[in-house]
Structures are given as C-alpha cells and as structure tokens.
Amino acid sequence: MSQIKIYGLIDTINKYRETLSSAIHQSLVESLNYPNEKIFQRFIKFEPEDFIFPKDRSKNYLIIEISMFEGRSNFAKKQLIQSLFKKIEMDCHISPQDIEITIFETPLENWGIRGKVATELTLHYKVEV
C-alpha cells in the first residue's frame, strides 16, 4: 500500500498531472513490484504566493511524499527514488533539480483500510521486496 501526495504550482500540476501520475505509478510498479491496479495519488495545487521554494528551483518544482507500509529494502527504496527522477525527467521534462521525494514508512498496525487494521488484511502482493 502506498499513498502518494504531489505538491506543486497549479499551472505545473495542471500541465503534467496525467503524465506525472503515470510516471509515478510506473515507478512504484517496477521498483516495488506494486500491483498495477493499486493507484492512490493526490495532487495538491498551490498558487504562486502559497508555494515558496528556493530560487535555484524552477516553476516546475515538485514535492512528492510517499506513505507506505514498512518492509521494503533500502535497495528497493533507492531504486524507486532513482526511477522517479528518471521517469519524471523523461516523460515530463522536469529536471531532477526540481523534484524532492520523501518516503514515510509506517507499520501495518498504523493503517486502517477497508474497515480493518492492515495487519488483518490479506495482501495480494509482497511488501518485503
């Protein structure tokens, strides 16, 4: 399970939302063996006066936060981050200089899904990759 939040300027999100969504999801599927049908993304759009960032970033600056079950190896997380940079640059033409990624890992007992605590769910994919 992964919940993705993507923060950016309203014009950037509006321009790249579909392509960005696909690039992010493909990275999850390929790097974490994530089920293709599991897609949970939220795009948070800001007016320029509400999204302050360093001057060495462009108007395409994005923050990507990934909340997921703990259990992935450091190697798998590194692969995910590298894949995100590569796919977003290739598909959206957004420089890695304009992308920041944070992964938040949470124990299964801290997730509630479909009326259950995640430790009680039967998952149809491996978390330990």
Side-chain angles (χ1 to χ4, degrees):
M1 177 78 170
S2 294
Q3 293 282 343
I4 315 298
K5 294 180 194 172
I6 303 98
Y7 303 87
L9 289 171
I10 191 167
D11 291 343
T12 301
I13 297 292
N14 287 343
K15 181 177 181 180
Y16 295 109
R17 195 190 72 74
E18 292 296 324
T19 309
L20 193 54
S21 174
S22 178
I24 292 168
H25 189 62
Q26 287 175 13
S27 291
L28 284 164
V29 169
E30 293 170 11
S31 300
L32 303 182
N33 297 321
Y34 202 66
N36 196 48
E37 68 278 4
K38 300 285 185 184
I39 185 166
F40 303 96
Q41 300 174 350
R42 291 179 302 284
F43 288 84
I44 298 112
K45 305 173 188 180
F46 291 95
E47 294 294 338
E49 64 270 16
D50 296 323
F51 195 51
I52 300 167
F53 49 86
K55 295 193 185 306
D56 65 342
R57 307 305 197 279
S58 80
K59 62 179 177 48
N60 290 329
Y61 176 67
L62 298 170
I63 299 171
I64 301 170
E65 293 181 350
I66 303 168
S67 296
M68 64 184 182
F69 296 155
E70 67 182 1
R72 274 74 177 205
S73 68
N74 288 337
F75 178 78
K77 291 181 281 188
K78 180 178 179 179
Q79 292 296 108
L80 173 60
I81 290 169
Q82 290 173 335
S83 177
L84 286 164
F85 285 133
K86 181 179 178 184
K87 285 188 185 309
I88 293 169
E89 182 175 30
M90 202 167 34
D91 297 352
C92 302
H93 307 289
I94 296 175
S95 168
Q97 172 72 13
D98 285 325
I99 303 166
E100 293 188 19
I101 302 163
T102 307
I103 297 174
F104 300 94
E105 294 183 285
T106 310
L108 288 171
E109 61 268 15
N110 290 356
W111 287 72
I113 303 167
R114 298 187 309 270
K116 296 181 180 181
V117 175
T119 54
E120 300 170 357
L121 292 174
T122 301
L123 299 175
H124 300 290
Y125 59 93
K126 269 187 85 155
V127 173
E128 296 82 18
V129 293

